[in-house]
Amino acid sequence: MMDSIANLKLQIPLGPVQHAFVTSTALENCIVGPRQEGKSFGGWSAIALHASRQKPEVQPCPYALCRDTRENLRVSAIPSAMKWEMSSKKYIEEELWKLVRTKDLKRDKAQAMIQALRMRLWVEMKQSYKEIHLSLGGPVIAIIHLVGMDEMKDINRFQSWPLAGAWFEEPAPAAASDIGNGIQEVAWLMALSSMSYPVDKPRYQITMNPPDEDHWTWERFVNRLEGERVCFQIPRFENRKNLPEKFHENIERTMRSKPDMYRRMVLGRAGFVQMGQPVAANFDEEFHVSKERLYPNHYNDLYLGWDFGLNPTCVGVQQTAQGHMNCLFALMGENMGVTQFIQNILRPYMNVHMPKLQFFHIGDPQGFEKSQVDSFKNPVKIVQELLPGGWRSGPKEWEPRRQAIHDLLGERHLGRPLFLMDPLECKILIRALRGGWHYPDLPKGSEPSGPIKDRHSHPGDALAYLAHVLLRQVGASQEKLRVRPMSIGRRMAEAMYAGR
């Protein structure tokens, strides 16, 4: 009987990304994709392959399968294991009948193999559903311990637990109501410290829907990819043949009303677990983010939008000859003053990418408040000393800034969006407009006085100050925008030097 799956490519139905994930020899593996695209199926296949490769004397190999709660383990992990066994056996049966049809296998022998295949369990629940014993028609090759991370003390189980590997299923929360749930990164680190079981190489894996872009899994496997870490992203529709006919149509219709969940669960892209309404409700990433890089025109002026504080932020916008507004970069410092930000981040960047442009500064009116360190200087003076150029303050009130963002994103010019962002240099601004910059989630009937102040509000505010001043020079913000490409530069220069 075909009681080995050493060659998973032939004997278990795997898509291209699933196969790469299952056969990966990296220490830390993560597979991400939309709903029902076969992530858990790949997870079980990977554990089975890893355990089957080990020497008989170290089998059964111990693994930990972790979810945020014991209840989620019960309703997801156990059914997914049984589904994996049924689907794999069904596929093997189909392959055997193909061999019969091509006369490469006798019918009676195929029937005997299928009978034996059906008789032997691959997945068995043990220890009151606290363990899953995995076999492939023969001896048990893996013991998977089911671990719910309901409390911090559950993490301590890894301290004296030799493992051949660990599997974290859906460690990121799915919705705002679950924002305090999920599994913490410290649990992953503790699991990694337990890889002392004598296998050829431990297997650590994560299977999940795309998380919030700030979640530790995305930071670890995408933004800080290093060492033996690898991330596999399943494209939408790869698992179409194994799903009901109208599955994708139905889930798309269901999720359309929740843009944040639609992006992550349907499109399979990282986004934000939205906790309130986005400020930039009319932002469309397909519409406002350029498909190609945007480069500065060295003959036109550069408008710099500023937000101050301990996260000083600068957004650079340049108007094209046709009158469009290209956002070339968005940079932010963390836990530093404006002097350090300009000297260590902004000016080195501009010296490389746009060394000879003339600057006009637009920004936070609180930039005129005196520094607690030096009463003779304020952020605006520092900006103008280090990057000479005129200054205009944006409005202090929230409503005109909100309206400016709405107008900037809502206007088309010559058949194209008036405002367009560079796809690489504006990442922090794109994340803010996508939903990171949002209002507090208040009781029904309550009106927020403004958005939540956090790391996403800084690039948003910098753009809002800039948008209000630029659009006011172009046309009335409550009326149809009147873009005048040839006159804006002169009018802006006059306005800049006219004072605040």
Side-chain angles (χ1 to χ4, degrees):
M1 191 192 78
M2 298 166 65
D3 59 358
S4 169
I5 56 168
N7 190 342
L8 281 163
K9 182 69 174 179
L10 295 176
Q11 296 193 276
I12 288 183
L14 295 170
V17 179
Q18 282 179 315
H19 181 257
F21 169 74
V22 168
T23 57
S24 170
T25 57
L27 174 63
E28 298 181 62
N29 303 272
C30 179
I31 189 167
V32 183
R35 292 289 304 274
Q36 298 297 319
E37 291 294 345
K39 301 179 293 294
S40 295
F41 191 93
W44 285 110
S45 300
I47 293 295
L49 176 61
H50 183 263
S52 67
R53 282 205 313 253
Q54 308 310 317
K55 297 177 181 179
E57 55 264 29
V58 301
Q59 293 175 343
C61 302
Y63 301 85
L65 171 53
C66 306
R67 273 215 65 162
D68 53 346
T69 67
R70 296 179 183 88
E71 176 62 16
N72 280 338
L73 276 172
R74 185 184 67 81
V75 300
S76 65
I78 295 174
S80 72
M82 294 179 171
K83 182 179 179 181
W84 171 79
E85 176 182 351
M86 291 174 58
S87 299
S88 300
K89 288 182 174 180
K90 180 181 177 182
Y91 181 78
I92 292 173
E93 289 184 20
E94 291 172 352
E95 291 298 300
L96 289 173
W97 287 120
K98 285 181 183 179
L99 293 174
V100 171
R101 288 193 293 271
T102 60
K103 301 188 183 304
D104 292 317
L105 184 67
K106 292 184 178 180
R107 177 178 293 273
D108 57 348
K109 188 170 183 180
Q111 290 175 334
M113 293 170 71
I114 291 172
Q115 183 67 20
L117 184 68
R118 292 177 178 177
M119 292 279 294
R120 299 181 183 180
L121 292 176
W122 285 10
V123 174
E124 294 185 80
M125 308 301 144
K126 299 289 185 178
Q127 299 294 324
S128 301
Y129 290 87
K130 293 179 181 178
E131 294 179 359
I132 293 178
H133 288 202
L134 184 65
S135 65
L136 301 174
V140 175
I141 60 172
I143 297 177
I144 296 99
H145 302 273
L146 304 182
V147 183
M149 294 290 174
D150 298 76
E151 301 176 15
M152 278 295 293
K153 66 181 182 180
D154 293 317
I155 296 174
N156 296 330
R157 297 179 64 178
F158 292 116
Q159 287 185 330
S160 58
W161 204 356
L163 294 174
W167 174 8
F168 280 31
E169 172 86 337
E170 300 296 351
S177 59
D178 299 324
I179 199 64
N181 296 329
I183 305 177
Q184 298 183 39
E185 186 175 15
V186 64
W188 182 253
L189 298 177
M190 287 295 293
L192 284 170
S193 71
S194 300
M195 52 180 174
S196 57
Y197 196 76
V199 290
D200 56 0
K201 188 173 186 178
R203 168 82 188 191
Y204 284 78
Q205 62 185 38
I206 291 175
T207 57
M208 64 179 181
N209 296 311
D212 185 298
E213 285 184 331
D214 291 332
H215 195 261
W216 67 266
T217 51
W218 198 253
E219 284 292 320
R220 187 174 186 86
F221 285 94
V222 178
N223 297 337
R224 292 189 285 114
L225 191 60
E226 58 188 31
E228 287 200 72
R229 297 177 197 162
V230 60
C231 183
F232 302 90
Q233 299 191 45
I234 302 181
R236 193 181 179 197
F237 305 127
E238 184 171 298
N239 196 39
R240 183 197 291 272
K241 64 181 181 181
N242 297 314
L243 295 173
E245 182 180 353
K246 294 189 176 181
F247 171 81
H248 288 102
E249 178 184 326
N250 292 336
I251 193 173
E252 183 160 340
R253 184 173 59 251
T254 303
M255 294 284 188
R256 272 290 184 184
S257 61
K258 293 287 291 180
D260 60 321
M261 295 191 73
Y262 177 81
R263 177 181 175 84
R264 293 182 295 110
M265 304 296 179
V266 178
L267 299 182
R269 302 174 186 170
F272 288 96
V273 178
Q274 203 145 320
M275 293 170 284
Q277 289 299 312
V279 172
N282 58 342
F283 171 72
D284 185 337
E285 192 165 348
E286 294 296 319
F287 188 67
H288 293 110
V289 179
S290 175
K291 301 296 187 296
E292 301 174 347
R293 295 297 311 277
L294 300 177
Y295 297 102
N297 181 326
H298 295 284
Y299 299 99
N300 291 359
D301 300 327
L302 184 68
Y303 304 113
L304 301 180
W306 288 91
D307 187 57
F308 298 120
L310 289 178
N311 295 88
T313 303
C314 183
V315 172
V317 172
Q318 189 178 54
Q319 191 178 29
T320 69
Q322 292 77 31
H324 297 94
M325 296 181 184
N326 286 350
C327 187
L328 303 177
F329 67 86
L331 300 173
M332 180 172 67
E334 295 190 13
N335 296 317
M336 63 175 64
V338 66
T339 301
Q340 291 85 353
F341 170 67
I342 293 174
Q343 291 178 339
N344 299 328
I345 297 177
L346 180 60
R347 195 158 61 183
Y349 174 85
M350 298 182 74
N351 285 342
V352 172
H353 297 283
M354 45 201 74
K356 298 181 179 179
L357 295 183
Q358 184 176 359
F359 309 131
F360 292 108
H361 303 286
I362 304 169
D364 187 351
Q366 295 183 354
F368 283 94
E369 295 181 2
K370 292 181 180 180
S371 168
Q372 295 181 359
V373 178
D374 186 347
S375 61
F376 294 99
K377 286 191 176 183
N378 56 50
V380 172
K381 284 186 177 181
I382 293 172
V383 166
Q384 291 182 301
E385 285 180 7
L386 298 177
L387 295 170
W391 174 274
R392 282 293 302 274
S393 291
K396 186 176 181 180
E397 298 76 16
W398 167 242
E399 178 54 29
R401 287 185 278 146
R402 184 205 65 78
Q403 186 64 46
I405 289 291
H406 178 81
D407 291 343
L408 181 68
L409 297 176
E411 187 66 15
R412 297 180 71 94
H413 177 58
L414 301 179
R416 293 169 47 204
L418 175 67
F419 180 71
L420 201 62
M421 289 182 283
D422 184 87
L424 296 183
E425 303 293 351
C426 296
K427 286 184 178 179
I428 61 169
L429 182 58
I430 294 169
R431 293 172 68 182
L433 298 179
R434 190 190 291 156
W437 191 27
H438 64 274
Y439 295 106
D441 197 5
L442 298 176
K444 192 173 182 180
S446 302
E447 289 292 330
S449 57
I452 288 176
K453 293 295 183 182
D454 59 13
R455 66 195 303 259
H456 302 296
S457 68
H458 303 301
D461 281 333
L463 180 64
Y465 294 128
L466 187 147
H468 181 270
V469 172
L470 287 182
L471 294 186
R472 192 171 60 181
Q473 302 306 317
V474 175
S477 60
Q478 301 295 333
E479 302 172 0
K480 181 73 174 177
L481 297 180
R482 299 184 298 277
V483 179
R484 301 187 180 102
M486 301 308 294
S487 64
I488 286 182
R490 288 194 295 272
R491 294 173 63 200
M492 278 301 302
E494 293 173 1
M496 289 289 180
Y497 289 108
R500 292 194 253 168

